[in-house]
Amino acid sequence: MTITTYRDAWGIPHLRAADARELARAQGRVTAHDRAWQLEVERHRAQGTSASFLGSPAVAWDVFARRARLADTARRCFEALERRDPETAEWVRAYVAGVNEGLAGGAARTPEFARTGLAPGVWEPWHPLGVWLATHILFAGFPAKLWREEAIRHLGEDAVPLFATDGPGTSGSNGWLLAGSRTTTGQALLAGDPHRFIEAPGVYQQIRLSCPEFDVIGLAVPGVPGIAHFAHTGTVAWSITNAMADYQDLYRERLRRTERGVEALNPDGTWHRAARHTETVEVAGNPPLRIEVLETERGPLITDTATDQPHPTPTPTAPAGAHPPHSAPALDPTAADGARPPHSAPALDPTAADGDQPPHTAPALDPTAADGDQPPQGPPALDHETRTGGAGGKTHADGGAEALALRYPPRVTADLGFSALLPLLRARRVADVDRAFDAWTEPVNVVHAADTDGGLLHRVAGRVPVRSHINRTRLAPAWLPGHAWQGWHEMPYGDLTDGVAVMANQRGPAAPLGVEFAPPHRADRIRTLLDERRTWSAADLPAIHTDTHLASAAPLLDHLAALDDLTPGAAELRGRLLAWDRRMDADSTGAAVYAAVRTAVVRHLAAHPAFAALAEPPAHPEVLLPWLALTPRVAFALEHLLRAEELYGIDRPAVVRTAVEEVAAGRPTGTGTGTWGDTHRLAPWQALPDPSYDGPALSGDHDCVLCTSAVPGLTDLSARGPAARYVWDLADRDNSLWVVPLGADGVPGAPHHTDQLALWLKGELAPVSTDWDRLELVEETDV
């Protein structure tokens, strides 16, 4: 058999093979050639070993990933996949074989390996599942439950809606579906842009996969076979956004140490032994860290334990450049679709540690078997050592230290939804896509699909447990009854209104499954723009991708309009803002002034004594701290905070007055005479940051359709935005369009490393080309 690799004008790989299995092998090989460094960074994060070559900034993620048992979960999911769906398991194995075939050659052309001294490793069949799981573990935003606990404890229940992400809160993806009745061709159009952390190399890989069974173009996740999120088969196309569903729980566990080990208090009043072992996290340039890994019947404990300590064995000093400052600007902690804080990334592999104890047997996978339903009978008395030592967290007077357990569906079901991937590639009609997404697990997504027969689909896909309101919103007490999972929600379907469906992480068909959603501004703006004309073509739609109108500016501008007795400079600045068109264009001075005033307002509100108790986050793992940072919380809740009837006695007009006077006087953000693009610049995440990098100016803001998120109060730099843009045309696939922020090749200096950046910045898209005769044949390989 022969695997053939073609490239188009943008270096995008187009692959042909005799069957789906060999095509997966070809996909693995070409990805290893183009993205070797990215694959190895993700694999090490998927093993909890990234600090071994990235140094101490990566320790926090490695520790979290090991404690959360992400690697062990991915292994279990692959083993279960082999039993339930051997064809897909073999397909994944073929992809991994291709990665291993191409990795050495890809590493040889990639300078980061030499900079860190990292040698390419060997991929195992479970690694793609590990990459997928770790990439999406924070998508449901379970750390927001920690924020709600703190807000309620210090400010009361009324604080929860004030700081809710609905107004404004998250950045997330846009997507819209136009039925044939709303297009110039009479066939449907799908368009949108996933908002994630912009990474170098990019988080999406443009690719074409062709064999006798199917011929699919789309955006793949490097390290994972197939094309899960955005694809066009020629007769059917689909796309997704994050549904903002809540499907992960945090349990407060009461623990005690006895001669038998660590025990957790169950709802029936009995103490059950927690699975326990220790692991060693290697850290380049520093001593290793020994950590305790515990798991109760609810799930793995993710908070610190008392036994964590540096390992006495030294490690060699890492090469220069191996200690990247992963603590880039603290961006929106409640991000919908891009939930990878700059200092954290996918990671796992707990069982591949020091091996002082064998991997434990996990609790039963039945989702209803976790908590029991008997009333508590009170914990037995503890000796002094157990009372004071605990397993981390606070200690109760009746005995038992507290820690937090994370419960998430793949840990419970041993299913990551990979059985959806091959059926998606083989889909011919909307009904095929619908059936394929029945097997979807996580993240929970809203799906759009359309086919050439006129079929349309708007649904939610994934797995969300049925459980109590407390579980969904706050920390559930593991020792009390009533907090067990009771099966799974049915996934809802949405409707099209006048031939249009819009998804932008707002409340919609997924509303019964979530707690907080994105504000409606992006969705409302897209709908408004689409209603400005009756029919659209594929070439028309990029103008919607790049719309910069900022509806959420209204509350701050309303406060400004009501001010009087301003100094002449502040009055002139206010006049400029009230005349501003509310567009966050890179060359706009009005946008720059607005951003400067907004930053000052956020800083003053965050510094107010009313919020002092929330200024210092509680002791939780570092990976979770972005969800607990006060200034970003104030920034992304500013609309609610300024519109609330009362805000804990804060004189908001006085805060706005102070802010506008400061900006007028040139404090602290400059004179206000520059443009938005002077400070709002692209800052992509890199495992090895380039200190000389100076990002280009950006238009947009977190509530614009062009969603390039900064963190008002902290930075105007944007590390999150459209990680790709696409337009799928069902009338003719070659009229489809796509673009990524950088390029198809992950190797710095390569011709296609950043050749799409200029298009992306201008809001332009590259044409999709599927004519084999117009592509360049670069390799034929007999296998």
Side-chain angles (χ1 to χ4, degrees):
M1 291 186 290
T2 300
I3 295 173
T4 310
T5 303
Y6 295 79
R7 303 271 183 175
D8 65 14
W10 301 96
I12 297 166
H14 295 240
L15 308 176
R16 298 176 84 171
D19 57 39
R21 189 176 183 280
E22 291 307 320
L23 191 57
R25 184 174 172 184
Q27 185 182 5
R29 288 182 59 187
V30 79
T31 304
H33 178 274
D34 292 355
R35 308 287 188 100
W37 170 252
Q38 182 179 25
L39 289 183
E40 282 297 85
V41 168
E42 298 300 329
R43 180 179 69 83
H44 277 279
R45 286 176 177 145
Q47 296 176 170
T49 56
S50 60
S52 67
F53 63 100
L54 295 177
S56 56
V59 168
W61 176 262
D62 283 358
V63 170
F64 167 75
R66 288 169 180 257
R67 285 198 173 129
R69 309 303 317 277
L70 299 185
D72 184 66
T73 301
R75 288 190 183 97
R76 287 189 199 169
C77 288
F78 184 76
E79 291 168 0
L81 186 68
E82 288 186 300
R83 296 190 299 271
R84 292 191 297 244
D85 185 357
E87 181 191 19
T88 296
E90 283 303 306
W91 178 71
V92 173
R93 284 184 180 276
Y95 179 89
V96 168
V99 169
N100 286 326
E101 290 169 8
L103 202 52
R109 61 189 294 268
T110 308
E112 287 91 344
F113 286 91
R115 284 181 61 190
T116 60
L118 178 67
V122 177
W123 277 56
E124 297 180 31
W126 65 270
H127 283 147
L129 286 78
V131 169
W132 185 266
L133 175 62
T135 299
H136 297 107
I137 188 65
L138 296 176
F139 262 48
F142 69 83
K145 297 175 183 180
L146 299 173
W147 167 262
R148 293 188 203 113
E149 289 285 344
E150 291 301 304
I152 291 170
R153 184 159 68 93
H154 295 298
L155 298 175
E157 293 276 357
D158 291 343
V160 173
L162 278 175
F163 285 96
T165 58
D166 287 61
T170 66
S171 70
S173 299
N174 300 318
W176 57 95
L177 166 62
L178 293 169
S181 61
R182 297 296 305 273
T183 73
T184 58
T185 65
Q187 291 281 5
L189 292 168
L190 280 73
D193 49 337
H195 303 154
R196 292 176 175 248
F197 280 94
I198 305 299
E199 300 184 25
V203 298
Y204 281 115
Q205 173 194 30
Q206 296 155 299
I207 199 165
R208 181 184 182 188
L209 305 175
S210 180
C211 67
E213 279 192 280
F214 52 79
D215 185 342
V216 186
I217 62 165
L219 300 165
V221 174
V224 178
I227 305 174
H229 286 160
F230 309 94
H232 194 327
T233 74
T235 60
V236 66
W238 65 89
S239 58
I240 60 94
T241 64
N242 193 317
M244 302 294 285
D246 179 84
Y247 52 89
Q248 301 164 329
D249 285 349
L250 285 175
Y251 284 87
R252 294 165 55 204
E253 296 277 2
R254 286 193 182 179
L255 306 171
R256 68 178 185 181
R257 294 185 184 274
T258 70
E259 293 181 355
R260 295 181 63 245
V262 178
E263 297 179 331
L265 181 61
N266 276 11
D268 63 358
T270 62
W271 293 84
H272 289 200
R273 186 179 180 183
R276 176 191 178 275
H277 67 280
T278 60
E279 299 183 11
T280 299
V281 178
E282 301 291 339
V283 187
N286 291 279
L289 176 70
R290 269 179 90 82
I291 65 170
E292 182 178 47
V293 178
L294 295 165
E295 185 165 7
T296 72
E297 294 178 26
R298 269 65 59 189
L301 301 186
I302 61 170
T303 48
D304 292 342
T305 60
T307 59
D308 290 357
Q309 56 185 316
H311 195 286
T313 305
T315 55
T317 302
H323 306 280
H326 283 214
S327 54
L331 300 176
D332 175 5
T334 55
D337 286 9
R340 176 185 293 186
H343 61 277
S344 69
L348 359 143
D349 189 12
T351 58
D354 55 354
D356 66 330
Q357 294 189 19
H360 69 271
T361 301
L365 297 181
D366 177 1
T368 63
D371 298 334
D373 57 5
Q374 300 298 316
Q377 300 173 8
L382 300 178
D383 59 25
H384 175 72
E385 180 181 359
T386 303
R387 283 181 195 274
T388 56
K394 66 182 180 181
T395 303
H396 290 267
D398 62 355
E402 272 197 24
L404 295 180
L406 173 63
R407 188 168 178 82
Y408 55 99
R411 188 72 184 160
V412 173
T413 64
D415 184 9
L416 263 172
F418 268 46
S419 287
L421 299 182
L422 266 174
L424 282 172
L425 294 178
R426 292 167 172 157
R428 294 292 181 269
R429 297 291 180 263
V430 156
D432 303 326
V433 173
D434 195 15
R435 281 192 297 271
F437 274 110
D438 285 341
W440 196 261
T441 296
E442 74 167 48
V444 180
N445 290 324
V446 178
V447 180
H448 283 167
D451 63 35
T452 53
D453 286 344
L456 303 170
L457 179 68
H458 182 198
R459 65 163 291 180
V460 182
R463 186 164 285 180
V464 179
V466 177
R467 72 275 205 227
S468 76
H469 180 71
I470 289 293
N471 291 56
R472 297 177 61 200
T473 55
R474 299 179 61 181
L475 309 183
W479 60 89
L480 296 179
H483 301 289
W485 287 11
Q486 304 290 339
W488 308 99
H489 282 280
E490 291 290 329
M491 292 295 101
Y493 285 75
D495 298 321
L496 276 71
T497 302
D498 192 23
V500 176
V502 175
M503 51 186 188
N505 314 108
Q506 80 280 18
R507 292 183 182 272
L513 308 176
V515 177
E516 296 182 16
F517 294 81
H521 304 303
R522 287 183 287 115
D524 289 348
R525 182 64 176 169
I526 293 168
R527 166 68 71 166
T528 297
L529 292 171
L530 290 173
D531 286 345
E532 288 180 355
R533 66 173 75 171
R534 184 62 193 171
T535 58
W536 291 79
S537 70
D540 297 330
L541 293 180
I544 295 179
H545 286 122
T546 52
D547 185 80
T548 60
H549 183 264
L550 187 67
S552 63
L556 178 50
L557 296 179
D558 289 346
H559 274 279
L560 281 171
L563 294 179
D564 53 18
D565 298 328
L566 294 172
T567 63
E572 188 274 335
L573 187 147
R574 181 186 64 176
R576 290 173 59 193
L577 283 176
L578 295 181
W580 170 52
D581 61 7
R582 305 191 186 189
R583 291 186 175 275
M584 300 297 286
D585 295 326
D587 60 359
S588 169
T589 57
V593 172
Y594 170 78
V597 173
R598 179 178 63 181
T599 284
V601 169
V602 168
R603 288 175 176 170
H604 282 290
L605 286 176
H608 196 279
F611 299 138
L614 293 168
E616 291 296 327
H620 286 304
E622 182 182 335
V623 167
L624 309 183
L625 294 185
W627 278 264
L628 297 167
L630 177 60
T631 298
R633 282 286 174 182
V634 170
F636 293 107
L638 186 61
E639 188 173 11
H640 277 340
L641 298 178
L642 291 178
R643 279 185 168 157
E645 185 174 339
E646 198 279 330
L647 189 68
Y648 307 105
I650 298 174
D651 186 344
R652 285 162 291 177
V655 168
V656 174
R657 180 189 299 276
T658 299
V660 73
E661 292 284 2
E662 285 182 353
V663 173
R667 306 185 312 270
T669 56
T671 63
T673 58
T675 67
W676 177 222
D678 290 340
T679 57
H680 189 55
R681 308 183 76 83
L682 180 64
W685 184 91
Q686 300 179 75
L688 289 179
D690 178 1
S692 65
Y693 173 82
D694 183 19
L698 295 177
S699 295
D701 198 35
H702 61 270
D703 278 330
C704 300
V705 178
L706 178 52
C707 185
T708 54
S709 289
V711 187
L714 293 180
T715 180
D716 288 341
L717 295 176
S718 176
R720 183 169 47 254
R725 296 188 185 106
Y726 62 91
V727 177
W728 299 147
D729 190 339
L730 272 298
D732 183 349
R733 189 165 62 166
D734 275 22
N735 283 335
S736 298
L737 304 162
W738 56 0
V739 74
V740 294
L742 299 175
D745 199 327
V747 177
H752 299 296
H753 183 57
T754 59
D755 59 335
Q756 295 184 53
L757 177 59
L759 290 180
W760 184 82
L761 290 170
K762 291 186 291 185
E764 298 177 0
L765 282 71
V768 167
S769 178
T770 62
D771 183 347
W772 296 105
D773 292 335
R774 300 177 64 182
L775 304 175
E776 179 185 1
L777 174 62
V778 295
E779 184 180 21
E780 286 186 315
T781 305
D782 292 327
V783 294

